Amino acid sequence: MSSELHQLYFPLTIPHPERLERWRLLQSYSGVEVKRHKPVSAVTYRIRAPHPAAVGKRLAFAADLHYRDRAPDRERLAGILRILAEYRPGYLLLGGDLSADAVDMGCLPGMLKKLSSAAPVTLAVPGNWERGKSWIPMSLWASICRQGGVEFLCNQSWNDDVFYFYGCDDLALGAPQLPRRWSGDKTNVLLVHRPDTVIAMDVADSLRGVTLAVCGHTHGGQIRLPFIGPIYASSRYGCALSYGQFEREEFGTRMIVSSGISNQSLRWRFNCRREVVLIEFTA
């Protein structure tokens, strides 16, 4: 897949519709807490821990910063840092599209240092904006992240005594792969830029053992009409995966799709909050 043309709304063919049908949107808001702030809101999900060691652990997830170091970007960054300072997560996950464009890459290490200082562990994956700059190797993005105190995962894992995190490459312009096996005694978390990647990789038992997948990319549709929802989402599945919490019931896997922080293709949002996702594992 060499371009974003496959992501037009109302695609002529929907790839693997049977895979999409395996995932159901959880309509209930039990266990979900929304604190609306300007310019960035905090949305907390509580998920049952599969292992006792994960009980009480906190993750934070932020996607689609498209950072330019302009006044609105600095204001949103300050909002993110306020949320993280209050929540105090043990792990911060960044879901790709860190930069707005190649000319803005110079400001990334400084921005990432501020984010990584808010959590003991910070991990990131490439998005389509990183992958779309084919003249920039993934090794350079990894170097930029390291300068900012962030571990860059592109089809790679990071783990400690509690969690096994795996970061996937982007679907549209990269080559996403899953690990040969998931951990059997740790809580498995899949970090990926877009929900389409999760659907594409959902083959046979490839996701069995995954407790949580976190994604961004769709920006929640950016324009969400009252009682109707989004009218467009950057996905091969239209608006079906634009936002929310989904479940792969057979495996007990949750997928959270965030509306992200910034906006790029469209310069504004309507009825679509910017958010940091906060995840707490409960007994």
Side-chain angles (χ1 to χ4, degrees):
M1 288 168 283
S2 60
S3 73
E4 294 287 299
L5 294 178
H6 68 281
Q7 294 184 9
L8 291 174
Y9 191 39
F10 296 129
L12 296 177
T13 59
I14 296 178
H16 306 296
E18 74 284 356
R19 296 184 193 175
L20 180 64
E21 292 170 0
R22 299 169 185 166
W23 294 84
R24 67 185 182 98
L25 175 65
L26 298 180
Q27 301 288 353
S28 172
Y29 281 86
S30 60
V32 180
E33 178 184 345
V34 179
K35 291 185 178 180
R36 297 184 179 273
H37 305 288
K38 288 187 177 182
V40 179
S41 296
V43 180
T44 303
Y45 294 83
R46 293 178 176 86
I47 296 177
R48 182 173 297 175
H51 301 288
V55 174
K57 299 297 184 181
R58 293 180 168 188
L59 314 181
F61 174 65
D64 307 295
L65 277 80
H66 296 286
Y67 194 78
R68 292 177 179 268
D69 200 28
R70 298 177 182 176
D73 302 285
R74 292 191 290 271
E75 184 181 0
R76 292 166 196 159
L77 177 61
I80 296 170
L81 294 173
R82 284 195 295 270
I83 292 171
L84 296 178
E86 179 180 347
Y87 190 68
R88 300 177 65 185
Y91 309 82
L92 172 60
L93 311 178
L94 302 177
D97 283 5
L98 299 172
S99 173
D101 217 332
V103 297
D104 304 303
M105 290 173 61
C107 64
L108 289 183
M111 181 270 289
L112 292 173
K113 282 182 180 179
K114 293 178 180 179
L115 288 175
S116 65
S117 67
V121 175
T122 304
L123 309 174
V125 292
N128 56 287
W129 277 78
E130 285 85 21
R131 266 301 186 185
K133 299 164 180 59
S134 57
W135 64 93
I136 301 175
M138 287 294 100
S139 59
L140 180 55
W141 290 113
S143 175
I144 289 172
C145 284
R146 280 195 300 271
Q147 293 175 48
V150 178
E151 186 74 23
F152 186 75
L153 304 179
C154 184
N155 295 333
Q156 295 168 297
S157 65
W158 185 96
N159 66 94
D160 59 12
D161 293 338
V162 180
F163 289 100
Y164 177 90
F165 293 100
Y166 188 86
C168 251
D169 199 356
D170 183 55
L171 178 66
L173 299 167
Q177 300 174 9
L178 290 180
R180 292 183 178 180
R181 63 180 61 87
W182 296 97
S183 175
D185 58 356
K186 300 177 182 179
T187 299
N188 295 303
V189 178
L190 175 60
L191 175 59
V192 64
H193 178 59
R194 68 181 77 208
D196 290 26
T197 307
V198 179
I199 305 301
M201 305 300 281
D202 186 5
V203 181
D205 285 351
S206 61
L207 298 178
R208 186 180 294 276
V210 177
T211 298
L212 175 67
V214 285
C215 322
H217 178 70
T218 63
H219 297 194
Q222 285 197 201
I223 299 174
R224 301 181 67 91
L225 301 180
F227 309 108
I228 295 175
I231 59 176
Y232 169 85
S234 180
S235 167
R236 295 193 292 176
Y237 301 99
C239 295
L241 301 171
S242 63
Y243 181 78
Q245 184 178 194
F246 299 80
E247 183 181 40
R248 177 78 154 87
E249 194 168 12
E250 182 183 357
F251 301 152
T253 303
R254 296 291 178 94
M255 176 171 67
I256 295 174
V257 183
S258 170
S259 60
I261 302 298
S262 188
N263 40 269
Q264 193 60 29
S265 299
L266 299 174
R267 298 296 180 178
W268 48 278
R269 293 187 177 212
F270 177 76
N271 198 34
C272 183
R273 61 175 172 257
R274 310 173 195 276
E275 67 177 24
V276 174
V277 169
L278 308 173
I279 301 157
E280 181 175 355
F281 287 93
T282 63

